[in-house]
Amino acid sequence: MLPTITVAYIVRGKPESIRESYKSTSLIADEYIYVVDNSTDKEVLDTISELECGDDRIKIVVKKYENELAQKQYLLKQCTKEYILLLDGDEVLSDNAILLRQAPQSFPEAEAFSLPMHFHTLALSYEVDNQSSSNSIRFIKNKQEIMFQMGDRLVLTGYVEPVVQISDVSIHNYTFTSVLNKVLQIYLDTMQSTPGSFEAIKSWYKNFLTGNVLVKGFNMEDHPQSVKDKFRFGEVR
C-alpha cells in the first residue's frame, strides 16, 4: 500500500506560483497544510482560500509570526500523514512527481529523502548539489522526533541516516518571486559598471549560497509543463 503524504507550506510567493505548486502536487497529496501569518498578502490568502473551497484535503492554519524557526516547527506539528513533503509557495515539482509516492516502498528503511533543487532567477538557472545542501531534504517520515534546528541556517533533524537521494523528481524554485531576485539585481546593476563575466556570476553564486552550484542559461524547456505553457502564452514575464 502506498504511503500517505502531507504537502506542507509556510506560505510565501505570489498567487500564480502558489497555484502552480498546488497543481504539481495534486496527484500525490493526501493532505495540504498551509501556515499563514498576520503579514500574509490578501491576494495570496484569497488564492489559498479559493483552492480550499474546491479541495477538502486543504487545511489553512493561521499562526502569528514569531520567527522562521517557530513557524516551521508549528508547520511540522500540523501534519497528520505518514510522510511530509516540505515546499515553499514558489516551488513547483517536476512533471513526474507521482514517482515520489514510490520512494518509501523502494527504500523502506529510509526516513529522509533529498530532491534535486533547480532555481530560476532573471536570465539564469542554477542547481544546488543535493549531496552538500541540507536544504534539499524535503521529503521525510512523519514522526515525533522530526524538528528544525537553527545553526548557520535552519536544518531538519531527528531522522535516521542515511539520506536517500532521489534523482527522478525535482523541485523548481521560482526565485524571481523572492528576495534573492532583489539581491541578484543589485549585483547585476553593479556589474554593468565593472568588469564582469559569466564566470564572475557563477563565482558569486557559489559564495552566496550554501553548497556547490551549477549555473546555466535560463532555458524554458527545463521547466515543468504547466510553467512552460505559461511562458509560451506570455503569462510569465
Side-chain angles (χ1 to χ4, degrees), residues 69-80:
L69 176 60
Q71 299 301 107
K72 290 202 169 186
Q73 298 285 45
Y74 185 78
L75 175 66
L76 289 177
K77 293 183 183 301
Q78 307 309 305
C79 301
T80 66

Side-chain angles (χ1 to χ4, degrees), residues 26-157:
S26 62
L27 293 179
I28 64 171
D30 298 285
E31 173 182 65
Y32 286 96
I33 302 293
Y34 290 88
V35 172
V36 301
D37 61 50
N38 46 305
S39 67
T40 303
D41 183 81
K42 182 181 183 301
E43 190 177 2
V44 170
L45 284 173
D46 289 345
T47 298
I48 300 170
S49 298
E50 178 185 320
L51 294 174
E52 181 187 31
C53 288
D55 193 336
D56 59 9
R57 296 173 297 177
I58 295 177
K59 179 181 178 183
I60 301 172
V61 183
V62 180
K63 183 185 185 302
K64 183 178 179 181
Y65 186 83
E66 299 174 46
N67 54 59
E68 191 73 5
L69 176 60
Q71 299 301 107
K72 290 202 169 186
Q73 298 285 45
Y74 185 78
L75 175 66
L76 289 177
K77 293 183 183 301
Q78 307 309 305
C79 301
T80 66
K81 303 306 179 182
E82 296 171 276
Y83 285 81
I84 303 171
L85 174 62
L86 294 161
L87 292 176
D88 288 340
D90 56 3
E91 294 179 336
V92 181
L93 286 190
S94 55
D95 293 335
N96 51 352
I98 191 67
L99 297 177
L100 199 59
R101 271 205 183 272
Q102 301 171 9
Q105 287 187 327
S106 300
F107 304 94
E109 302 302 317
E111 294 188 354
F113 301 83
S114 67
L115 281 72
M117 302 286 295
H118 303 269
F119 291 79
H120 308 285
T121 181
L122 297 178
L124 292 174
S125 298
Y126 59 93
E127 302 171 19
V128 174
D129 179 0
N130 65 342
Q131 296 187 47
S132 61
S133 174
S134 60
N135 187 47
S136 64
I137 300 173
R138 299 298 194 90
F139 190 49
I140 55 170
K141 188 173 184 178
N142 188 5
K143 62 177 191 175
Q144 188 174 358
E145 294 82 0
I146 295 293
M147 66 177 64
F148 283 95
Q149 290 187 351
M150 180 64 78
D152 294 335
R153 59 185 300 171
L154 285 178
V155 295
L156 272 170
T157 63

Side-chain angles (χ1 to χ4, degrees), residues 131-228:
Q131 296 187 47
S132 61
S133 174
S134 60
N135 187 47
S136 64
I137 300 173
R138 299 298 194 90
F139 190 49
I140 55 170
K141 188 173 184 178
N142 188 5
K143 62 177 191 175
Q144 188 174 358
E145 294 82 0
I146 295 293
M147 66 177 64
F148 283 95
Q149 290 187 351
M150 180 64 78
D152 294 335
R153 59 185 300 171
L154 285 178
V155 295
L156 272 170
T157 63
Y159 53 83
V160 174
E161 298 275 7
V163 175
V164 172
Q165 296 177 31
I166 294 175
S167 60
D168 47 11
V169 181
S170 58
I171 296 174
H172 293 259
N173 183 300
Y174 291 92
T175 53
F176 48 69
T177 67
S178 71
V179 69
L180 178 58
N181 182 44
K182 298 177 183 178
V183 175
L184 181 58
Q185 186 62 62
I186 293 171
Y187 176 76
L188 292 177
D189 289 345
T190 302
M191 280 189 63
Q192 289 178 0
S193 58
T194 58
S197 66
F198 180 81
E199 287 302 313
I201 296 175
K202 181 177 178 180
S203 176
W204 179 83
Y205 268 122
K206 285 186 176 180
N207 291 329
F208 183 82
L209 298 167
T210 300
N212 298 320
V213 297
L214 173 63
V215 182
K216 58 184 179 178
F218 194 92
N219 182 354
M220 186 175 73
E221 295 308 312
D222 292 335
H223 300 268
Q225 185 60 49
S226 62
V227 175
K228 285 193 286 189

